[in-house]
Amino acid sequence: MFDLAIIGAGPVGLFATQFANLHNLKTATFEALDSAGGQVQMLFPNKNIQDIPTYSSIKGNQLVKKLKDNISEPVIVNNKIQMIEKKNDYFLLNNTYKAKTVLLTTGLGAFHPKKLPAKFDNEHIHYFMPDAQIYQNKIATVLGGGDSALDWAIELAQYCKEVNLIHRRNEFRGLESNLKTLQTLKNVKILTPYLPKDINVVDNLIQLQLKGVGNNDSSMIETNDIFVAYGYKSDNRLLKKWGLTLNQEGILVDRSMATNISGIYAAGDNVSYPGRVPMIALGFGEAQIAISNIMAKLFPEKKITLHSTSI
Ligand SMILES: Cc1cc2nc3c(=O)[nH]c(=O)nc-3n(C[C@H](O)[C@H](O)[C@H](O)COP(=O)(O)OP(=O)(O)OC[C@H]3O[C@@H](n4cnc5c(N)ncnc54)[C@H](O)[C@@H]3O)c2cc1C
């Protein structure tokens, strides 16, 4: 019987595990994928993150490594929690694990990239970009206009001989300073407003045909690899199945991060309340609120020491 089951080992679930360890809670942390780190590990492992307290800059994969190094038990990976059943005084997970309380840190949930039509299927079309260095001296093409597209183009430009960034609008949604950086890089070509029309592979080189959006323009570029950053579809169906109250953005929580089900708490990108922003450091704070309230629920007789130096 665990005191606490943490579901999802993104940055917030990892930090929640560390904080639960600090309070000596008997904790099990589950992750659906084969490794921990969530969006940070999957979507931007090489990004220099500049808004984590105490680090002026830290790469995504370094942050994940540090978070993992700080927990006492390894995350139980390849273990997607599909079922949470409320029993009298505990929760039964996947018919196997028992826990007195649950903290949901499921982030975007099980996420899948939005794909190009099937006619583009090819081993050189990628929906994740774990390591730009692999594409040293190649020609890379990034499709999309959001943060991931701009981040990937900047990372690839460090190693590739040429990077094309193709977006269907003239305006980009991603961070303006990143767009400015890309506009100054000599090996980056920005092509807008274009959409991919077709591909043709000749001798390991992809010929990508483009069609203009809102005009009759057409163009053709040659590239070795194509990175599609059209965003992700996330799946909230499990949360509904578990009986949680949700709105369009996520799980509704009160100020103690408690959900509508007594004993189930939530923190990180899966929660919704007015003014919330999807940021890692905010999720860390939410995890601390949740765990402190879980402690109070499990051990009402204990006076919780928040700091050794509490005044
Ligand atoms: C391109 C990009 C750049 C970003 N840059 C920054 C930045 O510079 N600074 C910043 O603060 N934030 C940034 N963010 C936002 C940041 O990544 C998120 O706020 C953060 O990852 C949220 O963490 P999380 O742990 O709540 O969720 P996630 O990172 O989404 O992790 C959730 C984890 O839960 C797992 N999971 C889901 N369902 C289950 C289940 N049923 N069973 C088991 N496991 C499950 C998932 O597989 C995943 O590993 C960026 C996001 C993107 C997309």
Side-chain angles (χ1 to χ4, degrees), residues 4 25 36 45 91 142 145-147 153 155 161 166 180 198 201 252 271 292 310:
L4 171 63
L25 287 177
F91 294 93
V142 178
D147 278 319
E155 279 165 39
K161 81 176 166 211
I166 296 166
K180 286 208 171 112
D198 221 334
V201 185
L252 297 185
V271 302
S292 303
S310 279

Side-chain angles (χ1 to χ4, degrees), residues 221-235:
I221 57 163
E222 289 190 328
T223 185
N224 298 110
D225 289 273
I226 297 177
F227 298 86
V228 185
Y230 283 171
Y232 297 85
K233 283 188 251 175
S234 58
D235 185 355

Side-chain angles (χ1 to χ4, degrees), residues 1-7 16-17 19-30 89-93 97-104 262-265 290-291 293-302:
M1 173 73 80
F2 292 100
D3 292 323
L4 171 63
I6 296 177
I7 303 180
T17 309
F19 199 67
N21 293 161
L22 202 64
H23 285 290
N24 293 324
L25 287 177
K26 194 174 172 213
T27 303
T29 304
F30 301 92
D89 52 358
Y90 67 91
F91 294 93
L92 181 64
L93 312 182
Y97 304 97
K98 291 178 181 175
K100 292 177 196 160
T101 57
V102 173
L103 174 60
L104 301 170
S262 175
I264 302 190
Y265 293 72
I291 303 273
N293 284 284
I294 287 168
M295 284 294 294
K297 186 178 176 67
L298 288 175
F299 308 105
E301 71 291 351
K302 264 196 195 170

Side-chain angles (χ1 to χ4, degrees), residues 7-13 30-33 35-40 43-44 47-52 79-82 105-111 147-148 151 238 242 267-270 276 278-281:
I7 303 180
V12 177
F30 301 92
E31 170 55 49
L33 302 174
S35 64
Q39 293 172 57
V40 183
L43 305 183
F44 54 100
K47 177 179 174 180
N48 288 312
I49 306 174
Q50 294 179 317
D51 42 24
I52 302 294
N79 211 322
K80 182 173 181 178
I81 300 301
Q82 310 265 11
T105 47
T106 49
L108 297 179
F111 56 90
D147 278 319
S148 294
D151 284 347
L238 273 179
W242 295 336
D269 273 12
N270 60 3
R276 188 177 195 279
M279 306 289 308
I280 297 163

